[in-house]
Amino acid sequence: DAGVTQSPTHLIKTRGQQVTLRCSPKSGHDTVSWYQQALGQGPQFIFQYYEEEERQRGNFPDRFSGHQFPNYSSELNVNALLLGDSALYLCASSLAATTGLNIQYFGAGTRLSVL
Amino acid sequence: DAKTTQPNSMESNEEEPVHLPCNHSTISGTDYIHWYRQLPSQGPEYVIHGLTSNVNNRMASLAIAEDRKSSTLILHRATLRDAAVYYCILRDWGSGNAGNMLTFGGGTRLMVKP
């Protein structure tokens, strides 16, 4: 059973460019969340997708956008890249739950470097 | 959101028990206590969670104080593979969708010496 897979594993971009990161959830999961992890810090929640809609969003600017496809896979898009966007981007999948107790399963992340 | 406080780092010897503390003095009655850990070069992984009673699973044990203002993650016999950053997270089961996100703090970096 494949877990959460993310691509690419590493990416180098320059300021002002746009980037798209991809995530395939664990088999059977329908909810995808994205997190940003700066070096030496804990992950910070960006947003969550369920039924192809953004269900919840953290404190991130509109430059960060996402999409979920009918097969539950997801993309994270970042426009007008800044040096401060350099980080590890983590995708987590889970089953939809209203109680918020659902366990989240994380991928290994995409390391984005902005030069 | 209720916040947690953890030591920045701890050290342990291999094969010995490890007690990782977490303070959450502003915990509400609907907050579950979750622990995740992040091994080097990997994403976080779920370890254990509890509400009021102590919990055990194959990975660890969770001891929760009677007033729920603190908890301790217990690794019974640390191995080199347990070297990771351990995060203590509160999740509000009563907040519907708002409880689906994980709010990470800085966590505790556990170093295991052979």
Side-chain angles (χ1 to χ4, degrees), chain B residues 40-58:
Chain B
S41 301
Q42 294 188 29
E45 65 175 347
Y46 167 82
V47 177
I48 199 167
H49 77 276
L51 184 62
T52 57
S53 303
N54 295 343
V55 183
N56 300 295
N57 67 20
R58 64 174 182 82

Side-chain angles (χ1 to χ4, degrees), chain A residues 5 14-15 19 22 39-40 44 51 63 66 81-82 95 101 103 114:
Chain A
T5 57
T14 56
R15 279 181 299 173
V19 69
R22 296 176 176 81
L39 202 59
Q44 300 300 305
E51 291 188 339
R63 297 186 298 109
L81 284 167
L82 304 174
L95 287 170
L101 296 181
I103 294 171
V114 182

Side-chain angles (χ1 to χ4, degrees), chain A:
Chain A
D1 176 26
V4 179
T5 57
Q6 294 186 240
S7 63
T9 54
H10 295 86
L11 203 52
I12 300 175
K13 292 285 188 178
T14 56
R15 279 181 299 173
Q17 285 189 313
Q18 178 265 342
V19 69
T20 298
L21 310 181
R22 296 176 176 81
C23 172
S24 292
K26 182 177 169 66
S27 178
H29 284 184
D30 55 10
T31 301
V32 173
S33 303
W34 286 92
Y35 294 79
Q36 179 195 66
Q37 185 173 25
L39 202 59
Q41 298 183 20
Q44 300 300 305
F45 176 75
I46 303 175
F47 42 53
Q48 184 179 84
Y49 276 84
Y50 170 66
E51 291 188 339
E52 302 180 48
E53 291 191 359
E54 183 182 292
R55 181 162 71 171
Q56 194 177 1
R57 188 179 184 92
N59 189 25
F60 278 81
D62 292 344
R63 297 186 298 109
F64 289 78
S65 63
H67 189 76
Q68 185 178 35
F69 299 94
N71 67 352
Y72 307 122
S73 68
S74 177
E75 289 182 349
L76 165 65
N77 300 293
V78 186
N79 293 323
L81 284 167
L82 304 174
L83 295 179
D85 295 331
S86 296
L88 180 68
Y89 288 85
L90 294 160
C91 170
S93 74
S94 57
L95 287 170
T98 57
T99 63
L101 296 181
N102 50 337
I103 294 171
Q104 297 200 7
Y105 294 81
F106 285 80
T110 294
R111 173 72 62 187
L112 172 65
S113 298
V114 182
L115 305 179

